[in-house]
Amino acid sequence: MQPQGRRLATVIAALALTAGAAIASKPVKTTLTATGAVAHARGQARLQLKTDSRGKFQVVAQRLARSTSYDVVVDGVKVATLVTTGGGGGKVKFSTSPKGRDLFLGFDPRGAQVSLRDAAGDDVLETEFPTGGTPDDAGKVACCLPDDSGTECEDRTPDQCAAQGGTVAGVDSCLPDPCAGVTPPGGEDEVLCCLPDSASGAIVDDSPEVECEDVTVAACAAAGGTVLEGTSCDPNPCAPVPPAVTVVCCVPDDSGPECEVRTPEHCAARGGTEVAATSCAADPCAGMTGGGSTTTTLVDDGGTTTTTLFDDHGGARSRRGGRGGHDDPAGHR
């Protein structure tokens, strides 16, 4: 083979070895939106991945209360505490290979609800982090592939995983790494694993009840949990401060109203209706489905009546009327 031919063959072989490897050199970042709980608050979240299972994530906040602690909450799980400086700013960094004050990145923020919550249970900054994916990522799952240094987790379709001699891990993400042989900082065999649970079907304002267990990183990842650094589940390090005030809310959905436990503000923002129930265990929204339409009427302390009509398709139309009897139509979806 001519030298040029050998060089071309070498290049092709190298490309074949790296084909399909998900390396995101460009960071994914988004703005944290102020909820109004703290005037002028602002922030940003940023994810940088080197491979599908290795990378860094950080949350930065500014113009918050000075020298104050806030829960960093990702999909209902408290993953860290952000403490502001005397100027009201703060930062938390996560890494799959943490150094210094970095925390272990034991969760995947892509597509997750990320928020900063104060001691009163109010979210002061929040965002839904971008997925950062491309059309080529559709149908991909976490795949454990044999590697010279052990087992590597990479995003592959099930067919691609099988063709390359890998094993489908049973979860969609390589963060945290579900493949065997991964250990957290310090080399501990077991870590604290946060497992959200909502046995009654209720979502407590995006913060379901979170259980803490001592398991391996691979076991936690395989269960879809969040890995935290720590030494004990007592007290539960995974549970964020709960919202101060919640209501049982019937939220319109294509298949009919769903029962969720939310703050009054989030219930209204989702076009939901508050009902006089203490939990979703008995599904108080069930009567709002079926043939015909159902009307639920509530009267607040100011004498204002809210009437919500659920049609046959589970859609909702709300109308608020005051003491003077003049209705102010307001459609919600």
Side-chain angles (χ1 to χ4, degrees), residues 97-287:
S97 300
K99 297 179 181 179
R101 295 185 178 182
D102 292 355
L103 301 177
F104 184 61
L105 179 56
F107 57 91
D108 188 346
R110 291 171 294 183
Q113 183 75 17
V114 179
S115 62
L116 284 185
R117 184 170 298 177
D118 64 19
D122 294 323
D123 289 337
V124 297
L125 290 167
E126 63 183 7
T127 189
E128 183 172 329
F129 198 83
T131 59
T134 67
D136 292 338
D137 293 326
K140 289 187 176 180
V141 296
C143 173
C144 298
L145 291 169
D147 186 79
D148 291 342
S149 58
T151 304
E152 183 81 11
C153 183
E154 297 182 5
D155 294 339
R156 296 285 188 272
T157 65
D159 289 343
Q160 290 172 340
C161 186
Q164 296 178 33
T167 301
V168 174
V171 290
D172 294 334
S173 174
C174 287
L175 293 173
D177 195 329
C179 303
V182 179
T183 56
E188 298 91 345
D189 292 332
E190 293 190 350
V191 297
L192 301 185
C193 182
C194 304
L195 298 167
D197 178 50
S198 186
S200 65
I203 301 175
V204 185
D205 207 51
D206 296 323
S207 297
E209 181 179 352
V210 185
E211 297 180 355
C212 178
E213 297 182 4
D214 294 318
V215 296
T216 63
V217 172
C220 184
T226 294
V227 175
L228 288 189
E229 295 179 59
T231 58
S232 174
C233 284
D234 186 21
N236 188 347
C238 310
V241 177
V245 178
T246 58
V247 296
V248 177
C249 178
C250 295
V251 179
D253 185 75
D254 291 341
S255 59
E258 293 186 350
C259 183
E260 300 178 359
V261 181
R262 299 195 172 274
T263 62
E265 294 79 12
H266 283 185
C267 181
R270 293 173 181 265
T273 301
E274 298 179 25
V275 295
T278 58
S279 75
C280 288
D283 195 0
C285 304

